[in-house]
Amino acid sequence: MSFTRADFDQYMVPNYSPAAFVPVRGEGSRVWDQEGREYIDFGGGIAVNSLGHCHPALVKALTEQGNKLWHLSNVFTNEPALALAKKLIEHTFAERVFFCNSGAEANEAALKLARRASIEQFGENKHKVLAALNSFHGRTFFTVCVGGQSKYSDGFGPRPAGIEHFEYNNLDSLKALIDDDTACVIVEPIQGEGGVTPATQAFLQGVRELCDQHNAILIFDEVQSGNGRSGSLYAYQDFGVTPDILSTAKGLGGGFPVGAMLTTEKLAKHLAVGTHGTTYGGNPLACAVAGAVLDVITDPAVLAGVKAKAERIRSRLLAISAKYPVFQEVRGMGLLIGAELNDRYKGRARDVLALATQEGAMILMAGPDVLRFAPSLVMPDADIDEGLNRFEKAIAKLVA
């Protein structure tokens, strides 16, 4: 039985507005729809398909685990979860890991841990959460309220207390808010949904120092910036600034739903038995796939390739903009790249997405003015070049 885009409107809650075509198959950085039409994928499922579609190592891991053990619940532990936790600890600052299913859940766990640890150590008043304006930390009610974009949190009733917002990359703005009642500061090393804006070195260093001064816990949300996307396993490693808690998801499973909160032994002890939980977190299928993802992306050659491919895309986007002046700025870090439309084309990112689709290229938005590229970390150079040829045709149509 074949379904169409019209069936979405008949069966699904209308909180999404998907494209007119329906993808049915993917391989590497290419996707085919029901009509057999091919697209080159620069979106990666919003920075999720870190190794493209149907990567052989991931298919193998999923198939092998699928023939062994699917689910247990956390009344028991399992080998793939332990193996994945060990790998994450070996490659990061972390000493303890909590598994969940998504970035929102990883941030929910991070924020709950930060508040609980702060309250248990310093008393009930130490509960304040500070986050950046224009940030994005997930879609649970707590995380949308922490995320500094009111369009996602308005209309759902009273918000949780104790959340305040500072300007991203503005240390003075944070200094004006942080005090001894601050439990934690949560920040993205690269704001993804907020327009693909990297933090400055001085800003992240200053945030770390302010947290230390006020006994506040520093959380890095690396849901979008992590898992090799910056050219290091996690972007904090590029900056040389270490958080107390890190949230990760998206690219960790390469397309299979999985998230994790990484932290220190000292903080982890505050989530004692029964204080937090999840039904599916640490699922053997998810952890087996994520383990295979980590094995590939921690290869130094893959991480070096990320930086080379990022430069290939950025230089071509700048060349396109020199020919058709549409971009105000091309920015980002590694293979998380934002091309901001200039004043003449402001608000038209969605139009560009539609034109690109017509030409057989899949890209993303990060707000109405920014085009976002978050492709596979192992995207072949030939696909990059062909995809950007198609993208250039879309830009030529926009200008015309």
Side-chain angles (χ1 to χ4, degrees):
M1 185 177 182
S2 184
F3 291 94
T4 68
R5 170 61 180 82
D7 290 316
F8 178 93
D9 296 330
Q10 182 175 350
Y11 300 124
M12 306 292 271
V13 172
N15 59 311
Y16 300 119
S17 179
F21 69 98
V22 179
V24 293
R25 183 169 70 88
E27 184 179 342
S29 291
R30 302 199 179 215
V31 171
W32 290 266
D33 68 13
Q34 291 168 318
E35 314 304 318
R37 187 152 184 260
E38 179 203 86
Y39 304 82
I40 292 180
D41 183 7
F42 284 109
I46 315 186
V48 166
N49 300 329
S50 47
L51 299 176
H53 299 270
C54 298
H55 189 284
L58 276 56
V59 173
K60 182 172 182 281
L62 181 59
T63 305
E64 287 181 358
Q65 187 58 43
N67 284 304
K68 291 179 182 174
L69 188 65
W70 281 39
H71 182 71
L72 279 170
S73 92
N74 288 297
V75 173
F76 310 94
T77 190
N78 68 79
E79 290 179 343
L82 297 172
L84 178 58
K86 184 171 185 283
K87 284 174 188 173
L88 286 165
I89 286 167
E90 287 170 350
H91 288 285
T92 68
F93 74 94
E95 297 164 329
R96 295 289 185 271
V97 179
F98 169 82
F99 288 122
C100 51
N101 312 290
S102 67
E105 289 172 80
N107 282 324
E108 187 87 18
L111 292 161
K112 283 178 71 176
L113 170 58
R115 271 192 167 173
R116 189 173 185 92
S118 297
I119 289 167
E120 286 187 349
Q121 289 179 89
F122 301 104
E124 287 292 330
N125 288 337
K126 197 168 177 65
H127 70 272
K128 197 159 81 173
V129 175
L130 302 182
L133 291 165
N134 219 30
S135 62
F136 185 86
H137 300 297
R139 295 282 196 153
T140 66
F141 193 48
F142 190 13
T143 57
V144 287
C145 292
V146 170
Q149 300 188 60
S150 58
K151 65 183 177 183
Y152 294 130
S153 55
D154 285 351
F156 296 101
R159 299 178 189 184
I163 300 166
E164 297 181 45
H165 295 95
F166 56 89
E167 287 180 21
Y168 192 68
N169 276 336
N170 182 340
L171 208 53
D172 288 337
S173 176
L174 176 59
K175 277 180 187 169
L177 294 177
I178 195 167
D179 58 23
D180 290 341
D181 287 340
T182 301
C184 63
V185 177
I186 183 168
V187 67
E188 299 161 276
I190 312 165
Q191 280 198 332
E193 302 297 321
V196 193
T197 305
T200 64
Q201 179 74 38
F203 176 68
L204 285 190
Q205 197 76 52
V207 174
R208 175 72 274 179
E209 289 164 7
L210 285 170
C211 285
D212 291 341
Q213 287 168 29
H214 292 281
N215 287 316
I217 291 164
L218 177 57
I219 303 170
F220 277 177
D221 177 344
E222 291 235 37
V223 170
Q224 194 157 170
S225 61
N227 305 299
R229 190 144 298 277
S230 70
S232 296
L233 182 58
Y234 289 102
Y236 84 85
Q237 295 162 331
D238 290 289
F239 290 99
V241 178
T242 304
D244 303 302
I245 303 174
L246 182 146
S247 57
T248 177
K250 284 192 179 287
L252 179 60
F256 203 100
V258 61
M261 176 191 71
L262 315 183
T263 190
T264 62
E265 183 179 2
K266 181 182 173 185
L267 285 177
K269 68 184 181 185
H270 291 280
L271 284 189
V273 173
T275 54
H276 189 56
T278 164
T279 295
Y280 287 106
N283 172 272
L285 294 170
C287 291
V289 174
V293 171
L294 275 187
D295 287 344
V296 175
I297 61 177
T298 52
D299 181 339
V302 171
L303 292 173
V306 168
K307 291 181 176 170
K309 292 174 193 302
E311 185 49 43
R312 192 179 193 95
I313 294 172
R314 286 170 70 98
S315 60
R316 182 66 188 281
L317 290 174
L318 291 169
I320 290 170
S321 193
K323 189 172 175 183
Y324 307 99
V326 293
F327 300 139
Q328 178 173 304
E329 185 184 14
V330 176
R331 59 176 179 260
M333 203 169 166
L335 285 172
L336 185 55
I337 299 169
E340 184 175 0
L341 297 168
N342 60 27
D343 288 344
R344 186 175 176 191
Y345 296 97
K346 265 208 181 325
R348 297 197 62 190
R350 192 171 294 282
D351 294 341
V352 179
L353 261 63
L355 291 167
T357 296
Q358 289 173 21
E359 298 299 329
M362 296 162 65
I363 60 171
L364 301 165
M365 292 166 51
D369 308 323
V370 180
L371 308 174
R372 176 172 31 168
F373 296 77
S376 161
L377 307 183
V378 293
M379 187 177 198
D381 289 348
D383 284 4
I384 290 174
D385 295 343
E386 172 59 25
L388 290 173
N389 287 343
R390 298 179 187 186
F391 176 72
E392 183 171 340
K393 289 178 185 173
I395 294 296
K397 279 187 177 177
L398 177 78
V399 171

